[in-house]
Amino acid sequence: MSAADSLSLSPIVAGCWRMAEWNLDAAQRLRWIGQALDLGIDSFDHADIYGDYSVEGLFGEALALQPALRSRIRLISKCGIKLTSAQRPAHTIKSYDSSRAHVLASVENSLRALRTDYLDLLLIHRPDLLMDADELAATFAELKAAGKVLHVGVSNHTPAQLALLHARHPLATHQIELSPLHLPPLDDGTLEQCQALRLRPMLWSPLAGGRLFGGGDERAERVRAVLADLGRRHGGASVATMAYAWLLRHPTRPWPITGSGREQGLRDAVDALAIELSAQEWYEVWQASAGREVA
């Protein structure tokens, strides 16, 4: 069984990137976790840098109020970006680091902040141009042997970068940006590689960072109008739900990451699981976004 075969996440993943901006106290954060679980979302996406290195601690503080929930959830984190921050005074310049020392230290920091003994999934957040694939593969193996990480993968890598590392150590997923307003992964080799390796990708910013709902952008308005029309055809579904349904239509069977701190935002994503777009409907959205017809 490959790492990709054994990785299991909920069909929708809850993203915690902006948790520090939600201004929720620990009890309210715990309630949000519970709302996600009630909707069938048991996988939570983190990165060490989120909220200026604060979000994992906020989540861990909430989880500490009900520690038994850990057995019901899957925790994902990412490392490899070094931000200049008062929280990391040794970082004198923004850079990328996939060295053994940095990855091991990052995992220990994440485990401590999240108040857990293991991560279900660890991703290298961004490509490190100085990555030593053999060293990183050995680091992954060390973390897995210690039971501190169950699965590993990458985020925002090129197909060549992923292939290099995957040849040294099996990767379980690739987290990428994809939305109706961000199309490059559809034909730059990224999703073709996921199909070839049978990796289910994780998708960040599936609603284009909210641009689908903001005014003034002609392209966004075109796409929003098509999604609204599709929503009417599919029982009055929201624009957000139809955007998730568009992503879920891809044959890689992706895991979209919803970044909403609202219960309705979570519901919009989950509701998409009951909608199956036809290929023609999918291409209506693509055409509106690309601004051209299929060649």
Side-chain angles (χ1 to χ4, degrees), residues 95-129:
S95 58
Y96 304 93
D97 192 343
S98 61
S99 67
R100 176 181 181 275
H102 181 73
V103 171
L104 292 181
S106 298
V107 168
E108 292 299 333
N109 286 334
S110 292
L111 294 177
R112 186 165 46 252
L114 290 165
R115 306 194 193 194
T116 185
D117 297 325
Y118 67 96
L119 296 174
D120 294 88
L121 174 63
L122 173 69
L123 306 174
I124 299 301
H125 203 161
R126 292 275 178 180
D128 172 13
L129 299 180

Side-chain angles (χ1 to χ4, degrees), residues 23-260:
N23 296 316
L24 304 178
D25 61 28
Q28 290 170 325
R29 281 176 250 135
L30 179 63
R31 189 174 307 119
W32 176 80
I33 294 170
Q35 290 170 343
L37 286 169
D38 289 345
L39 290 169
I41 300 173
D42 67 12
S43 304
F44 296 85
D45 182 69
H46 289 271
D48 57 354
I49 64 170
Y50 286 170
D52 191 24
Y53 296 95
S54 72
V55 164
E56 289 182 326
L58 293 174
F59 191 96
E61 183 184 29
L63 192 58
L65 298 177
Q66 198 171 336
L69 279 183
R70 178 62 183 98
S71 64
R72 297 178 54 196
I73 67 177
R74 296 175 173 90
L75 290 176
I76 302 152
S77 193
K78 300 181 286 294
C79 70
I81 301 176
K82 296 170 75 170
L83 298 181
T84 55
S85 167
Q87 311 308 316
R88 298 291 188 274
H91 298 179
T92 58
I93 184 175
K94 180 181 178 181
S95 58
Y96 304 93
D97 192 343
S98 61
S99 67
R100 176 181 181 275
H102 181 73
V103 171
L104 292 181
S106 298
V107 168
E108 292 299 333
N109 286 334
S110 292
L111 294 177
R112 186 165 46 252
L114 290 165
R115 306 194 193 194
T116 185
D117 297 325
Y118 67 96
L119 296 174
D120 294 88
L121 174 63
L122 173 69
L123 306 174
I124 299 301
H125 203 161
R126 292 275 178 180
D128 172 13
L129 299 180
L130 296 176
M131 178 185 73
D132 181 328
D134 289 322
E135 179 185 67
L136 183 53
T139 304
F140 284 161
E142 180 179 347
L143 287 166
K144 291 169 77 171
K148 295 181 178 182
V149 170
L150 302 187
H151 304 280
V152 296
V154 296
S155 177
N156 305 303
H157 282 52
T158 68
Q161 291 163 339
L162 185 148
L164 171 63
L165 187 54
H166 188 71
R168 305 302 203 278
H169 188 99
L171 303 176
T173 188
H174 189 185
Q175 187 176 128
I176 61 172
E177 181 182 5
L178 182 65
S179 77
L181 294 179
H182 185 81
L183 307 179
L186 292 171
D187 60 6
D188 67 3
T190 299
L191 290 176
E192 290 89 343
Q193 181 181 56
C194 285
Q195 285 208 66
L197 298 176
R198 292 184 169 83
L199 300 183
R200 294 179 64 180
M202 301 175 68
L203 310 181
W204 63 270
S205 199
L207 303 181
R211 286 171 50 221
L212 278 174
F213 313 106
D217 184 323
E218 180 181 346
R219 180 179 174 220
E221 290 177 3
R222 284 199 313 267
V223 173
R224 183 166 60 248
V226 173
L227 291 170
D229 181 56
L230 289 175
R232 287 188 285 272
R233 296 184 223 168
H234 287 270
S238 70
V239 167
T241 293
M242 297 313 301
Y244 287 112
W246 184 81
L247 294 166
L248 290 165
R249 178 64 175 78
H250 196 272
T252 52
R253 300 184 300 130
W255 289 301
I257 303 170
T258 176
S260 179

